[in-house]
Amino acid sequence: MHCIINGETIHLPSHVRTVAQLLRHFHIHEKIAIVEINMDIVPKEAYEKTTIADGDRIEIVHFVGGG
């Protein structure tokens, strides 16, 4: 499946089907993240059940500590 993630076309493995799996795939599942699919923000409590489809436009914003 191909999706546009943060402006870049990316091929996702077949096991990545939900927002939660996507965050785990990119190793940001333990960070605070905001996910938007096709211009709709996905509530955090819906990450496990919200599915991703071929061609979706996904924006992921996560916070990085530092100073």
Side-chain angles (χ1 to χ4, degrees):
M1 160 170 57
H2 289 85
C3 293
I4 300 171
I5 301 176
N6 293 351
E8 183 178 342
T9 301
I10 295 179
H11 175 77
L12 295 173
S14 61
H15 71 274
V16 177
R17 294 288 176 214
T18 67
V19 171
Q21 292 168 339
L22 178 71
L23 295 177
R24 283 192 290 276
H25 176 72
F26 288 115
H27 305 286
I28 54 175
H29 58 284
E30 293 182 3
K31 298 181 180 182
I32 297 172
I34 298 170
V35 179
E36 179 185 276
I37 299 178
N38 301 322
M39 300 181 70
D40 291 320
I41 294 175
V42 179
K44 184 174 181 164
E45 59 273 4
Y47 286 1
E48 289 289 342
K49 63 183 176 185
T50 301
T51 57
I52 298 168
D54 192 50
D56 277 349
R57 296 181 75 78
I58 302 168
E59 294 292 326
I60 302 172
V61 177
H62 64 93
F63 301 95
V64 179

